[in-house]
Amino acid sequence: MSSNTGFFEKVYKVASQIPEGRVTSYGAIAKYLGAAKSARMVGWAMNASKDRDEVPAHRVVNRNGVLTGKIHFGGTNAMQQLLEAEGVEVKDLKIVNFKSIFWDPMKALFKEDK
């Protein structure tokens, strides 16, 4: 198993905990995993999770609440549609009320569960 594969699996474990109707950021997941400067790598993991139904990649956005991962959903509005189906309001590819629905893995999960 490559180190990327191991990191990706850790990312998937965290992402699978994001509650429906909530979102987090690539950076928040990276910080939780002790790799604060690896937000881009978290994005790569989300892109690579296409065949993993247990990974809600649509709930991971950039630090400003923008749906930057939209391109990995086949160039469609699927990411936005999935979020809206969960009650998340999106306007101009940005989460409305981002701060109020932000899920912080540092607060929600126990560090020893990494």
Side-chain angles (χ1 to χ4, degrees):
M1 181 182 291
S2 76
S3 62
N4 280 358
T5 302
F7 183 80
F8 283 16
E9 290 301 321
K10 290 178 182 179
V11 169
Y12 300 152
K13 185 176 179 182
V14 175
S16 69
Q17 301 300 309
I18 305 166
E20 186 174 314
R22 305 283 301 273
V23 296
T24 196
S25 67
Y26 305 105
I29 292 175
K31 183 177 178 183
Y32 174 79
L33 293 175
K37 296 185 186 242
S38 297
R40 183 166 285 153
M41 198 162 172
V42 171
W44 294 337
M46 292 295 95
N47 182 43
S49 72
K50 291 176 184 151
D51 296 327
R52 300 182 73 145
D53 293 337
E54 75 277 11
V55 179
H58 64 284
R59 297 180 190 151
V60 185
V61 297
N62 83 359
R63 64 188 170 116
N64 297 313
V66 177
L67 279 55
T68 53
K70 166 187 161 39
I71 60 169
H72 302 297
F73 285 82
T76 66
N77 287 329
M79 184 178 189
Q80 181 171 336
Q81 291 169 344
L82 288 166
L83 287 167
E84 289 175 339
E86 295 180 1
V88 175
E89 187 178 351
V90 179
K91 183 175 181 183
D92 298 324
L93 299 178
K94 188 172 181 179
I95 305 290
V96 177
N97 299 324
F98 177 59
K99 289 184 181 180
S100 66
I101 65 166
F102 183 78
W103 180 81
D104 185 350
M106 292 292 281
K107 293 179 182 175
L109 303 174
F110 296 106
K111 291 282 260 178
E112 61 268 14
D113 289 340
K114 285 196 261 178

